Amino acid sequence: VGVFDADTTIENVQVNNILVECMGTAQASGVANTNHGTIKNVSVNGLIKGTVVAGFVNTNHGTICFDDTLSSVYALDAILRGQTKIGGIAIYNYGKITGSSNLTQIKAELRWNIVKKDFASLEDEFMIAGIAVVNAGSNAVIENICTLTNIIDAVNAAGAVGHFGNYNGNNGGAIKNCVINTTIRTIAGRVGITTYSGKSNVVGGIVAVVSEGCVNSSIENVSGSITVNNTSVQGFSYDILYGLNY
């Protein structure tokens, strides 16, 4: 589906054994390209490949939500392979991604498909994130999500959100009541391949980049674990982090 408008609701749908392969500069996603409406209790499993890849939607302006209906299954159980940006649920989240009070689980392998040896390491071009590549705007909220993600061959990566606030420094919204469990192998950590001119630049357990000037934003009650290149990083936990301004 291309676009869900504000009056659209899709509910209680299982997208099983999906295979999406997009060539060229195409955006590939499991449910829709753009969501202005409501996606509720939808689960996705399968393989999605393209240049820009998201498990659910490329751009979310509406609501993606889950209740305990999906408590016995993963909302996302997929392999995502992209060439520039990969997001577990969305590339750009300007709306709400809300799990159940018992935490909705998503599981994914997010892998960069290496297409050339020579690349810049710019985080606005290459980013892999367990939930969303960008979370921006006062309405952008991610809550009650538990991630179990394996990020492979990352140039830039984050367990939850790549950019907190967009590239113009807007409000980063909120991330709250989440558990982020992520294993990351950076491109620099890949063994037995041709040397690449680019290098891994930014890696974050929750957020990779807090946009400059990002204010009135919050990270609350977020915890988890991260392993980078087979090295366990000290467990992190944020009870409350308000008013970011970098």
Side-chain angles (χ1 to χ4, degrees):
V1 177
V3 178
F4 289 149
D5 63 26
D7 296 325
T8 299
T9 297
I10 178 172
E11 186 173 357
N12 299 328
V13 174
Q14 294 182 347
V15 183
N16 291 326
N17 300 318
I18 188 173
L19 174 59
V20 178
E21 294 187 77
C22 293
M23 306 298 292
T25 59
Q27 300 167 349
S29 52
V31 179
N33 186 66
T34 303
N35 176 49
H36 293 275
T38 299
I39 299 172
K40 182 177 181 180
N41 291 334
V42 173
S43 62
V44 176
N45 71 66
L47 171 63
I48 306 173
K49 298 170 64 176
T51 299
V52 178
V53 175
F56 276 72
V57 300
N58 181 274
T59 305
N60 181 48
H61 293 280
T63 298
I64 300 172
C65 60
F66 311 91
D67 61 27
D68 287 335
T69 302
L70 293 178
S71 61
S72 62
V73 299
Y74 292 107
L76 175 72
D77 187 356
I79 297 172
L80 310 178
R81 295 181 178 175
Q83 296 176 8
T84 56
K85 298 179 179 71
I86 310 172
I89 293 180
I91 301 301
Y92 303 100
N93 181 50
Y94 305 111
K96 291 179 171 58
I97 298 173
T98 304
S100 73
S101 59
N102 292 319
L103 301 188
T104 297
Q105 295 192 70
I106 64 172
K107 182 176 74 170
E109 176 186 292
L110 303 93
R111 181 187 291 266
W112 182 41
N113 269 357
I114 303 169
V115 294
K116 58 182 179 179
K117 289 194 302 179
D118 301 318
F119 60 88
S121 299
L122 300 176
E123 60 267 17
D124 59 350
E125 181 177 358
F126 296 104
M127 181 65 74
I128 303 175
I131 300 176
V133 170
V134 174
N135 195 73
S138 58
N139 295 321
V141 176
I142 295 171
E143 62 182 338
N144 297 342
I145 300 292
C146 176
T147 70
L148 301 166
T149 55
N150 185 15
I151 295 174
I152 300 174
D153 295 340
V155 179
N156 305 292
V161 170
H163 293 266
F164 200 50
N166 66 14
Y167 310 123
N168 297 319
N170 288 354
N171 187 325
I175 306 171
K176 53 188 179 181
N177 302 327
C178 291
V179 176
I180 309 299
N181 299 305
T182 303
T183 299
I184 299 173
R185 184 180 78 184
T186 68
I187 189 66
R190 192 176 184 194
V191 179
I193 61 170
T194 305
T195 300
Y196 286 81
S197 62
K199 60 183 179 61
S200 299
N201 189 23
V202 178
V203 173
I206 300 175
V207 172
V209 178
V210 177
S211 297
E212 185 176 358
C214 181
V215 296
N216 299 321
S217 304
S218 64
I219 298 174
E220 306 174 44
N221 191 29
V222 177
S223 61
S225 63
I226 179 173
T227 299
V228 179
N229 294 338
N230 296 318
T231 300
S232 179
V233 178
Q234 186 70 30
F236 58 81
S237 177
Y238 287 107
D239 292 324
I240 300 179
L241 181 60
Y242 285 119
L244 301 169
N245 190 355
Y246 285 63

